[in-house]
């Protein structure tokens, strides 16, 4: 399977070397100040609401299938939130330098790049799901989450430990804390033995309780 990568704004998803070696990687996202924040002040255009992901023509069929499988495996509420922002999102696949994925603002949308090759090799489909859902969480965060909800969700994420490279653990920025927690919630998987991310502890008191505001947002129209 070819590599897959995602970019969204100022946020990183690090994955540590797994047993037997492997290069360090990160998922990086950048938020364009003021765009879609707070979400209630900037509704998504109707044409974007009706659209879906724009895959780069160079994306291999097996890579696209891997991405779609990751989304289909997420809990229904997460899929509903993803469906709100898929029309804003373009996806490309290819090798990234020291990154598993990145997300960046692109005009009135977001460009996600995924590098799934190393992730698939070391972490399998579970790792692919984590990377894909982490990056799409950045789009959801930047495009539709009101600031008050961002603060509420972040309050439910424990502080991490350590501060490797000034990015992970206790040094992880809010955007990455949310994206990592969203991916865990969406997968219903706290990440035991899944060596990818920012070393952020699982949100609490439970994944369902932490994600209840997201489920309510998914149910609202």
């Amino acid at each position: 399977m070819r590599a897959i990568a995602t970019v969204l704004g100022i946020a990183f998803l690090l994955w540590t070397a797994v047993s037997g070696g492997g290069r360090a990687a990160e998922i990086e996202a950048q938020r364009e100040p003021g765009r879609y924040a707070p979400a209630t002040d900037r509704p998504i255009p109707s044409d974007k609401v009706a659209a879906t992901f724009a895959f780069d023509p160079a994306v291999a069929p097996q890579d696209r299938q891997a991405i779609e499988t990751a989304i289909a495996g997420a809990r229904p509420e997460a899929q509903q939130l993803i469906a709100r922002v898929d029309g804003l999102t373009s996806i490309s696949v290819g090798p990234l330098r020291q990154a598993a994925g990145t997300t960046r603002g692109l005009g009135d949308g977001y460009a996600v790049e995924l590098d799934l090759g190393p992730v698939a090799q070391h972490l399998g489909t579970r790792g692919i799901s984590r990377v894909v859902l982490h990056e799409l969480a950045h789009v959801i965060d930047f495009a539709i989450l009101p600031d008050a909800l961002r603060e509420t969700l972040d309050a439910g994420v424990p502080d991490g430990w350590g501060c490797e490279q000034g990015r992970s653990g206790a040094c992880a920025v809010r955007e990455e804390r949310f994206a990592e927690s969203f991916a865990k919630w969406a997968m219903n998987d706290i990440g035991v033995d899944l060596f990818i991310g920012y070393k952020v502890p699982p949100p609490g008191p439970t994944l369902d309780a932490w994600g209840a505001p997201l489920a309510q947002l998914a149910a609202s129209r």
Side-chain angles (χ1 to χ4, degrees):
M1 178 181 294
R2 282 178 43 193
I4 301 181
T6 312
V7 184
L8 211 177
I10 296 173
F12 292 83
L13 173 60
L14 307 174
W15 63 282
T16 58
V18 297
S19 58
R23 65 184 179 88
E26 62 193 26
I27 294 177
E28 184 173 288
Q30 297 174 338
R31 178 177 177 183
E32 190 170 339
R35 183 172 297 284
Y36 301 121
T40 52
D41 289 349
R42 184 71 180 272
I44 298 174
S46 58
D47 62 322
K48 297 293 186 180
V49 173
T52 188
F53 295 111
F55 283 90
D56 187 286
V59 174
Q62 62 267 33
D63 287 344
R64 178 165 179 164
Q65 181 62 53
I67 296 166
E68 293 174 342
T69 297
I71 296 169
R75 66 170 69 211
E77 300 92 337
Q79 292 187 49
Q80 290 169 359
L81 292 173
I82 291 169
R84 291 198 191 179
V85 302
D86 57 356
L88 297 171
T89 310
S90 62
I91 298 178
S92 62
V93 173
L96 296 174
R97 246 183 76 185
Q98 297 184 328
T102 60
T103 300
R104 60 186 170 82
L106 183 66
D108 285 334
Y110 300 91
V112 169
E113 299 176 81
L114 300 170
D115 187 349
L116 294 187
V119 179
Q121 179 182 358
H122 295 294
L123 301 174
T125 57
R126 190 164 161 239
I128 291 173
S129 292
R130 171 63 66 82
V131 172
V132 170
L133 294 171
H134 177 107
E135 291 305 326
L136 293 178
H138 283 311
V139 182
I140 290 168
D141 180 10
F142 303 154
I144 65 175
L145 290 194
D147 286 337
L149 182 52
R150 292 186 182 115
E151 294 175 4
T152 296
L153 292 169
D154 192 57
V157 182
D159 292 334
W161 298 280
C163 184
E164 294 183 12
Q165 301 178 6
R167 294 175 178 171
S168 66
C171 293
V173 297
R174 185 208 62 81
E175 288 86 349
E176 297 305 341
R177 286 161 55 83
F178 170 74
E180 186 160 323
S181 299
F182 177 92
K184 292 172 182 175
W185 170 73
M187 295 172 64
N188 196 28
D189 181 351
I190 63 173
V192 174
D193 296 329
L194 186 59
F195 301 106
I196 189 168
Y198 286 80
K199 297 187 176 180
V200 175
T206 65
L207 289 177
D208 285 343
W210 177 83
L214 290 171
Q216 293 174 1
L217 179 63
S220 67
R221 299 304 297 179

